[in-house]
Amino acid sequence: MPETNSLGLAEKNGLVTAAGDGIGRASALAFAAAGARVLISDIAPEGLEETARLIREAGGIVETMVGDASAESMAEASVARVVELWGSLDFAHNNAGIGAPNAPFTEQDRAAWERIFSVNVFGTMAFMKHELRQMEKQASGAIVNTASMAGKDGSPGLSPYVASKWAVNGMTQTAALEYAARGIRVNSICPGATLTTALRTWRASSPEAYDAVAASIPMRRMGEPEEQAAAAVWLCSAQASYITGTLLNVEGGDGILGKQ
Ligand SMILES: NC(=O)c1ccc[n+]([C@@H]2O[C@H](COP(=O)([O-])OP(=O)(O)OC[C@H]3O[C@@H](n4cnc5c(N)ncnc54)[C@H](O)[C@@H]3O)[C@@H](O)[C@H]2O)c1
């Protein structure tokens, strides 16, 4: 796929996790549209194959890997596969994350905390570790993690999710500092409410509740996965060459209100 802009991602190599739907699919499509080669992974094969089909249909280069992003073996194998296929790992979008059951702090059981932390924290940590090891050898690379606006503030009913996303942002800024002088940049996107499958289903079943939430956002709408993807791609691009450790709000102005 020819480069059609100045992102500097043409013929760069990278990976996107949880790319079978939502933000991950949009991100994989956007990296491929910028001319990059991308290894996409997901725990569910059907959506993953559909993402790969969409990329190939648009003339992009893509490989797939099915697996659970919480597993260290998956992180190690993903990085190794990108290098084996294409010779380097220039960018990585660690996007896999799961939600929390909505309940007050006192009713959140430890199993829920462990489930969420295994994907959101330990999965992201494992991917970052193996990506950084490879990027250190190259003395170059850019990582973007999908955090959340819930990783910057409190959010009633979502304590395990909030804590996990603060951890993602903490890992982002710590790795950014550790690797800034070694040619590696590490940033996060912090999505606000984004119209992925779960929110589209909720909009269809509870339109009034959906409209009330959308109306409370300064831009009066929720975000699109493509808007999250654009931010992730830009942070990994040459245009963001002096940006590291940034936790970028992509939330229609919602964060300004401090209501998360
Ligand atoms: N959608 C939102 O409003 C929103 C807001 C803030 C942050 N986020 C974050 O964005 C990221 C993506 O969210 P989304 O809403 O696009 O996701 P989604 O729920 O649409 O799911 C995307 C994909 O994740 C895959 N997946 C789930 N568990 C996995 C695992 N353990 N390993 C590998 N793949 C797995 C699913 O199979 C699915 O294909 C997550 O980290 C989420 O926390 C989303």
Side-chain angles (χ1 to χ4, degrees):
M1 194 180 268
E3 193 184 8
T4 54
N5 51 40
S6 59
L7 291 168
L9 285 164
E11 295 180 14
K12 298 290 185 188
N13 311 312
L15 64 86
V16 179
T17 67
D21 200 1
I23 294 167
R25 171 177 288 169
S27 170
L29 280 160
F31 274 113
R37 294 176 278 247
V38 60
L39 176 80
I40 59 173
S41 60
D42 200 286
I43 200 167
E46 301 80 15
L48 189 65
E49 283 312 316
E50 175 60 7
T51 305
R53 191 191 67 74
L54 291 166
I55 290 174
R56 290 188 184 114
E57 190 178 80
I61 296 173
V62 64
E63 293 284 332
T64 60
M65 188 178 283
V66 176
D68 185 338
S70 69
E72 173 126 16
S73 56
M74 178 69 184
E76 190 169 11
S78 298
V79 172
R81 184 78 179 128
V82 174
V83 176
E84 175 189 69
L85 281 165
W86 301 312
S88 64
L89 181 76
D90 304 307
F91 66 88
H93 183 182
N94 302 317
N95 170 69
I98 59 173
N102 200 312
F105 204 103
T106 48
E107 286 163 34
Q108 294 278 5
D109 62 15
R110 188 182 170 105
W113 280 82
E114 288 183 351
R115 207 164 40 248
I116 288 160
F117 268 57
S118 76
V119 180
N120 300 12
V121 181
F122 295 116
T124 302
M125 175 275 287
F127 271 84
M128 287 177 71
K129 185 170 92 178
H130 291 283
E131 290 156 2
L132 288 165
R133 283 180 178 170
Q134 175 60 31
M135 289 175 177
E136 203 174 6
K137 287 186 212 158
Q138 306 165 183
S140 68
I143 294 172
V144 61
N145 295 320
T146 301
S148 170
M149 288 307 293
K152 290 187 158 186
D153 223 328
S155 191
L158 299 179
S159 47
Y161 183 76
V162 168
S164 76
K165 293 298 188 177
W166 277 73
V168 170
N169 279 335
M171 291 191 289
T172 296
Q173 292 203 323
T174 301
L177 289 173
E178 288 182 6
Y179 292 89
R182 292 184 244 181
I184 303 166
R185 301 182 300 101
V186 188
N187 294 288
S188 288
I189 55 168
C190 295
T194 304
L195 269 171
T196 51
T197 304
L199 277 184
R200 285 184 197 284
T201 304
W202 179 58
R203 179 173 64 176
S205 65
S206 313
E208 284 169 15
Y210 172 88
D211 287 347
V213 173
S216 74
I217 296 168
M219 286 194 182
R220 304 286 182 261
R221 65 176 180 86
M222 296 196 185
E224 297 291 338
E226 291 74 17
E227 293 175 308
Q228 304 301 337
V233 167
W234 182 77
L235 282 169
C236 290
S237 79
Q239 292 178 6
S241 54
Y242 200 50
I243 297 177
T244 197
T246 286
L247 315 176
L248 184 64
N249 294 8
V250 189
E251 36 61 286
D254 219 23
I256 302 165
L257 298 174
K259 67 181 185 185
Q260 288 286 327

